Amino acid sequence: MARSVRLIFSGSVVAAGLLATPAMAQDANANVQRVEITGSSIKRATAETASPIQLIGREELLKSGKATVAEYLQTLTVDGAGSLPTGFGNGFAAGSTAISLRGLGATSTLVLLNGRRMAPFARADDGQKSFTDLSTVPMQIVERIEILKDGASSTYGADAIAGVVNIILRKDFEGLQVKADTGTSRYSDAKQNKASVSFGKGNLDTDKYNFVLNAEYMQSDKLKNSDRADRGHIGHGDLRPYGFPIGTQFAGGYIAGPNNASPGPAGAIRDPDPLKAENPPYIGLPGCAALSATTNQTGANGGCLYHHDQFRDMQPEIESINLYSRGTWQVNDNMQAYVEAGYSKRDTAFTIIPPSVTPTVAFPRNAANPQGFINFGNRNLMAASHPQNPFGAATRIRYAAFDVGPSTRTANNEFSRFVVGVKGSAMGWDYDTGYTHSESKLHLDYSNMLNMKVLVAALGDPKSPFFPYYIGAQANKNPASLYAAMVTNATSDSTTKLDVIDFKATRELFALPGGNAGIAIGAEHRQEKLSNPSLTGTSDGSINASYVAAFGDTKVSAIYAEILAPVIKNVELSAAVRYDKYDNFKSTTPKVGAKWTPLKSFALRGTYTEGFRAPGAAEGSSSSQSTGTSTVADPIRCPNGKTPAPGGATTTDCGIGVAAVKVGDANLRPETSKGYTLGVVWDVLADTGVTLDAWKIKRSDEINPLPYNEAAALPTAVRNDNNLIQNGVVIPNSGTLVLTQAPYRNSSFTEISGVDLDIKQRLRMGTWGKATLGLTWTHVASWKRHESATTVYQFAGTHGNCDTSNCAGTPKDKINLTGSWDLGDWNFNGIVNYRAKMKNILFEGKACAANLANGQPGTTNCEIASFTTLDLSTRYNFSKQLTLFASMNNVLDKIAPLDPLTYGGLSYNPMDASGAIGRYVKVGVNYKFF
């Protein structure tokens, strides 16, 4: 071909998501050929479309040393806050993984498998955000991954506001291939074993059929935070050695002051003397040394200080299997039939701390409890006749049930997918039509939960057969019958189902000065069902967990059309429009693009796109409710965000975890978006290619809960009664914040903008082989969330947005620097991953989010330091059949920076997990039988 192949539509990756399409705008005498994108090219000016697309080939993926597709994607510069790493085991969607393009959240990122949707994970992240679980994708059989960065409202769906991740699996594999690898950290732990087998038979050209079978097994050991006790601050809840106060988010058991104590292993009881009613002290019970791993009790004020690293895991235990098969039959010269079937099973187990006997739990309001919550901190009392109560009157208690033990959260997810379809040519059209069914089944099992009715009686009702419940050091006196009644497992079985019928067709039209015009049309109908019941016992406060549930049944019908018009030799214009009809909403979303190639090696391009996302089941139904937590500065007990208020507040109030109840609202409006890109594609030299794209996305009518810092200021916020006492006067409703209401609402809008730079360099070194160098840089210039006309949050370069993400932060810059060298039978590959520093504040203009005990910023310049890692891998082709490979992640063993704010990892950012685990080495073998 005289010119590089083009896609028929500059606004979408039709080869991957629609079907193989004719190359357009070639020399007049060139034959029309059918092409599929297999990776980016150095000379990309005539192959790039109007839309910015990042292409990742299978070799690039496998040489990375990453264990899963999700692990690799989360290192990319386009990924941002809201993605779900493997180690985030105490989150709503534990056991899953997800990517969040542009930091707009997994809900705004559409993930496809072979160009078609998958059923979402059966439990929404943060109780709100529906997403596709990347853990269900088998890594070994991936052919390539294409990331469309400007949205894809025409072909794939208007809800792809942040963009599309399209994972294409191999469809024409022949032979039998076995691969196995094993890995361990430098500490000889976190061991991981993986094996896969791929079998393919048949050639479509000669045999008229092909089928592919792939099976993949992975097993990963759990990693405890205590296993990194000697790795600086990593995994430590106790940050006092670094100057922090005692009351950090991963500490418990201390007595903060009068009428203020946190649950601990020995227990503490409050003096009920009515003469001390305004300022009653808590008194710690004896026996702490035998229960807590924290030997330094300085600052506990008579309590029993402990830290979460005594129990909590850093990485979960995982066992998974992925199965994939595809059969293709060439029915005749103009028709091809295909079937895909996939199955994934992933079992995850994550350990957290023992339960508190005085939680505050939320659930749907009912006649017996119109408030919809129970504050057991006020209700659960130790009876006057309890043997451990010296006061002779019923008293409050604070206790973490170490006698019950830590809770293990297991998440067993089964995902299945089936596709059947035909594609071919007829009457001048190329078509593809199919039916897809997929579903996700999630079984949650939380061990060592508390039956609150039995517990309340066992502590406070002398008539109960379970009274008295001995706590702390005397728990050995309790009979087994008490634990049999009081300790329970809470379970939940959730499902999501997705059924889709789709049809797509494309053809050439009339000739234009730049080549033939092209058109595509398509339609689809899909139905999505969600049933996510809450854990057993949470509907009325019967156990120590809040209610989290979502239910929904959504039907969507859509039609779309796209056109490419090479209006003159060097100018391509594209346009698309999509119409979606939901049960209660409808939308028409356009997309336009333009590409001008004044020189063979240089092109200008740009796109404009609109998006539309209807409220999800967790957001738009009153039967859906969740309770999430986030870190805030209590506006009453820490009014300036830095200094505790006089009269009983502590530094803990300046960074306290608050629970917020979120309830679905049927009156919510859909989200809409507008996206813009403008870029340059330039082949600077024969082996040097550069792309530079500026981008901007505005998402309006955003569906968000009320920001937690605003929700904390509501008069309806639930507080304990340890009110502030100033000048001898009790300040009403000023006690420690425990829960508030954060209803879903349509925020004003979020507007983000930035720049993507991609440089690729090929090196031809003669007898020294060949090499390629690459640099990908994403700069986030602004990430603003407009809650109202007067309230704007700027998150770029800060630790936020914590309300609707996992508090991983929004760095302004992320960079990937890659290098690959082929020399004979050897290949050497290296990747440098860089994350810029972030201000350790919740949003721009806010006070430092974590301070030392002396009031100074908790990190240098109140920043989370930048983080850079180097990953290396090598491969040796021992023979045509046998390949040996090895990889080393975090070669320099860099330690993840101290992050005292995040709740995803103990004292480190969850997205810096490789710096918490440490240097990691893998070795493996790949053998091709034929």
Side-chain angles (χ1 to χ4, degrees):
M1 291 165 49
R3 300 177 63 187
S4 299
V5 296
R6 303 181 183 182
L7 297 178
I8 188 170
F9 302 118
S10 59
S12 60
V13 187
V14 180
L18 183 57
L19 59 156
T21 58
M24 306 298 296
Q26 304 173 56
D27 287 354
N29 296 326
N31 293 324
V32 174
Q33 301 183 26
R34 299 188 181 279
V35 299
E36 286 192 36
I37 292 180
T38 55
S40 58
S41 168
I42 294 296
K43 287 194 172 184
R44 295 179 300 180
T46 53
E48 290 280 354
T49 70
S51 292
I53 302 165
Q54 184 171 356
L55 302 173
I56 301 161
R58 63 177 283 101
E59 291 298 312
E60 189 176 355
L61 184 66
L62 296 177
K63 287 187 292 190
S64 69
K66 302 300 182 184
T68 64
V69 171
E71 283 185 32
Y72 179 84
L73 291 177
Q74 287 169 355
T75 67
L76 300 181
T77 64
V78 73
D79 182 49
S83 62
L84 297 175
T86 302
F88 200 34
N90 64 329
F92 281 87
S96 63
T97 52
I99 184 174
S100 169
L101 296 181
R102 306 298 189 200
L104 284 172
T107 295
S108 290
T109 301
L110 180 58
V111 177
L112 306 173
L113 189 64
N114 292 337
R116 287 185 165 98
R117 293 176 181 251
M118 297 184 285
F121 188 68
R123 190 173 172 91
D125 183 36
D126 284 341
Q128 174 193 13
K129 299 184 287 291
S130 176
F131 66 95
T132 301
D133 180 17
L134 290 169
S135 304
T136 62
V137 178
M139 185 169 178
Q140 182 62 29
I141 203 68
V142 172
E143 177 66 29
R144 67 184 181 275
I145 301 173
E146 298 174 349
I147 301 175
L148 193 58
K149 301 179 182 180
D150 67 344
S153 60
S154 56
T155 303
Y156 301 118
D159 54 342
I161 288 173
V164 177
V165 177
N166 193 5
I167 304 170
I168 296 102
L169 306 184
R170 302 185 72 175
K171 303 175 182 178
D172 56 356
F173 177 75
E174 293 183 70
L176 175 62
Q177 180 174 306
V178 175
K179 181 183 178 183
D181 61 67
T182 185
T184 184
S185 77
R186 56 158 288 201
Y187 299 94
S188 299
D189 58 15
K191 292 181 174 62
Q192 189 176 90
N193 301 295
K194 192 173 182 180
S196 65
V197 57
S198 303
F199 174 72
K201 182 176 176 60
N203 183 285
L204 285 175
D205 292 330
T206 58
D207 302 319
K208 304 302 181 183
Y209 74 90
N210 175 266
F211 66 86
V212 180
L213 302 173
N214 175 260
E216 189 172 281
Y217 171 82
M218 186 184 78
Q219 179 273 326
S220 182
D221 290 347
K222 75 164 56 176
L223 180 64
K224 300 178 181 179
N225 281 285
S226 57
D227 293 334
R228 292 296 177 268
D230 298 325
R231 192 174 172 82
H233 55 268
I234 297 298
H236 286 272
D238 189 358
L239 295 180
R240 290 175 297 167
Y242 302 91
F244 286 88
I246 192 170
T248 61
Q249 61 178 328
F250 299 120
Y254 55 92
I255 297 175
N259 200 15
N260 190 352
S262 62
I269 55 178
R270 193 178 73 160
D271 189 342
D273 187 342
L275 297 178
K276 303 175 182 178
E278 291 183 356
N279 210 9
Y282 272 90
I283 299 172
L285 297 177
C288 180
L291 297 168
S292 175
T294 302
T295 57
N296 179 7
Q297 291 290 315
T298 303
N301 295 321
C304 184
L305 180 66
Y306 87 101
H307 291 89
H308 290 195
D309 48 306
Q310 185 172 342
F311 299 101
R312 186 170 147 182
D313 289 337
M314 178 181 291
Q315 294 283 318
E317 181 180 5
I318 302 173
E319 186 173 22
S320 68
I321 184 170
N322 276 313
L323 305 176
Y324 172 76
S325 62
R326 178 182 170 97
T328 309
W329 294 268
Q330 194 68 44
V331 180
N332 54 47
D333 291 343
N334 297 314
M335 181 181 290
Q336 190 179 95
Y338 56 89
V339 174
E340 294 178 21
Y343 173 82
S344 170
K345 189 176 190 298
R346 181 179 171 96
D347 299 336
T348 306
F350 193 92
T351 302
I352 62 169
I353 60 174
S356 166
V357 303
T358 52
T360 298
V361 298
F363 45 86
R365 299 175 181 179
N366 54 53
N369 193 314
Q371 290 182 306
F373 71 88
I374 299 176
N375 183 353
F376 284 102
N378 298 339
R379 178 179 294 192
N380 199 5
L381 304 178
M382 180 180 280
S385 59
H386 192 289
Q388 289 177 283
N389 185 352
F391 298 120
T395 183
R396 291 187 187 176
I397 180 175
R398 296 292 183 264
Y399 177 55
F402 273 42
D403 54 315
V404 170
S407 175
T408 297
R409 297 182 173 183
T410 61
N412 302 326
N413 184 44
E414 291 187 74
F415 174 82
S416 58
R417 179 176 179 269
F418 175 78
V419 180
V420 59
V422 294
K423 66 179 182 178
S425 302
M427 297 179 289
W429 290 84
D430 291 336
Y431 65 88
D432 188 352
T433 185
Y435 165 73
T436 302
H437 171 80
S438 64
E439 59 182 86
S440 174
K441 296 180 180 179
L442 177 66
H443 175 72
L444 297 179
D445 191 327
Y446 291 8
S447 72
N448 286 354
M449 305 296 286
L450 299 178
N451 183 322
M452 298 306 297
K453 295 179 181 179
V454 173
L455 175 62
V456 170
L459 277 170
D461 183 3
K463 298 179 181 179
S464 170
F466 304 112
F467 183 85
Y469 168 34
Y470 291 90
I471 66 173
Q474 297 190 38
N476 61 315
K477 297 180 180 180
N478 295 318
S481 58
L482 167 65
Y483 292 107
M486 184 177 69
V487 182
T488 184
N489 280 32
T491 62
S492 173
D493 288 284
S494 301
T495 60
T496 57
K497 296 182 180 180
L498 177 69
D499 291 276
V500 185
I501 300 174
D502 63 75
F503 173 81
K504 315 161 190 178
T506 179
R507 67 168 298 159
E508 291 184 355
L509 295 175
F510 46 82
L512 291 171
N516 290 337
I519 188 172
I521 58 174
E524 73 171 37
H525 175 78
R526 67 179 188 270
Q527 181 172 1
E528 184 175 317
K529 295 182 178 181
L530 168 65
S531 175
N532 175 199
S534 187
L535 292 168
T536 52
T538 57
S539 61
D540 59 357
S542 295
I543 68 168
N544 60 312
S546 292
Y547 183 88
V548 177
F551 303 92
D553 186 347
T554 304
K555 298 181 182 67
V556 185
S557 298
I559 56 174
Y560 61 88
E562 301 185 54
I563 188 167
L564 172 71
V567 290
I568 59 176
K569 184 176 181 181
N570 296 322
V571 176
E572 294 177 353
L573 301 179
S574 59
V577 64
R578 181 184 183 95
Y579 173 79
D580 288 277
K581 176 65 172 67
Y582 291 74
D583 294 330
N584 300 316
F585 307 101
K586 59 184 178 180
S587 70
T588 301
T589 48
K591 182 172 184 176
V592 294
K595 180 185 168 192
W596 176 40
T597 312
L599 302 173
K600 187 176 181 181
S601 60
F602 181 84
L604 296 173
R605 64 183 181 184
T607 62
Y608 167 79
T609 184
E610 294 185 6
F612 176 93
R613 187 183 76 85
E619 301 161 325
S621 171
S622 58
S623 63
S624 301
Q625 177 174 319
S626 65
T627 302
T629 60
S630 186
T631 303
V632 301
D634 188 328
I636 293 177
R637 298 176 67 87
C638 186
N640 65 357
K642 180 179 181 180
T643 307
T650 69
T651 53
T652 302
D653 295 304
C654 297
I656 190 170
V658 58
V661 181
K662 300 172 286 188
V663 181
D665 184 352
N667 296 317
L668 290 174
R669 300 183 302 275
E671 295 180 340
T672 60
S673 70
K674 295 181 180 180
Y676 312 82
T677 65
L678 181 64
V680 173
V681 185
W682 185 20
D683 297 340
V684 182
L685 299 170
D687 292 321
T688 306
V690 177
T691 64
L692 180 66
D693 291 286
W695 48 268
K696 180 179 180 179
I697 300 174
K698 181 179 180 180
R699 186 171 62 184
S700 301
D701 278 333
E702 279 193 319
I703 302 172
N704 288 314
L706 182 70
Y708 284 15
N709 61 300
E710 295 182 28
L714 295 176
T716 55
V718 180
R719 296 176 176 272
N720 283 327
D721 56 3
N722 55 322
N723 292 319
L724 299 175
I725 302 176
Q726 299 173 358
N727 299 320
V729 177
V730 177
I731 309 301
N733 199 31
S734 62
T736 301
L737 184 65
V738 293
L739 183 141
T740 189
Q741 305 288 329
Y744 290 121
R745 65 177 189 175
N746 289 104
S747 302
S748 180
F749 63 91
T750 286
E751 192 169 55
I752 62 175
S753 60
V755 176
D756 292 332
L757 174 66
D758 190 3
I759 302 174
K760 293 191 182 297
Q761 175 69 54
R762 177 181 294 148
L763 303 175
R764 307 173 191 269
M765 301 183 293
T767 58
W768 287 95
K770 59 183 180 179
T772 58
L773 299 175
L775 181 145
T776 305
W777 169 51
T778 294
H779 173 70
V780 179
S782 178
W783 211 110
K784 287 185 177 180
R785 178 169 151 190
H786 297 248
E787 281 295 333
S788 67
T790 58
T791 303
V792 181
Y793 300 107
Q794 171 64 272
F795 293 116
T798 76
H799 211 306
N801 175 4
C802 287
D803 294 342
T804 54
S805 76
N806 54 19
C807 214
T810 308
K812 284 190 175 183
D813 297 285
K814 292 181 70 176
I815 297 175
N816 298 142
L817 180 63
T818 62
S820 183
W821 178 26
D822 292 296
L823 179 62
D825 292 323
W826 286 91
N827 170 265
F828 304 93
N829 193 71
I831 305 174
V832 176
N833 300 304
Y834 168 80
R835 170 190 58 74
K837 64 183 180 182
M838 300 179 290
K839 294 180 182 180
N840 193 23
I841 56 180
L842 294 172
F843 49 85
E844 195 63 53
K846 190 71 173 174
C848 195
N851 293 312
L852 302 178
N854 62 12
Q856 297 300 308
T859 52
T860 303
N861 298 323
C862 190
E863 293 176 341
I864 305 301
S866 63
F867 187 54
T868 305
T869 57
L870 170 65
D871 301 336
L872 296 176
S873 65
T874 185
R875 183 176 59 187
Y876 175 59
N877 295 321
F878 183 83
S879 66
K880 291 183 177 181
Q881 287 77 35
L882 179 63
T883 300
L884 307 176
F885 56 91
S887 66
M888 183 181 294
N889 286 348
N890 195 3
V891 173
L892 303 179
D893 199 30
K894 297 290 289 294
I895 296 178
L898 173 64
D899 188 342
L901 174 61
T902 183
Y903 54 86
L906 260 69
S907 306
Y908 68 92
N909 196 287
M911 303 312 294
D912 297 341
S914 62
I917 296 170
R919 184 185 299 119
Y920 199 90
V921 178
K922 286 184 184 179
V923 294
V925 59
N926 189 81
Y927 190 82
K928 298 178 181 178
F929 288 90
F930 56 86

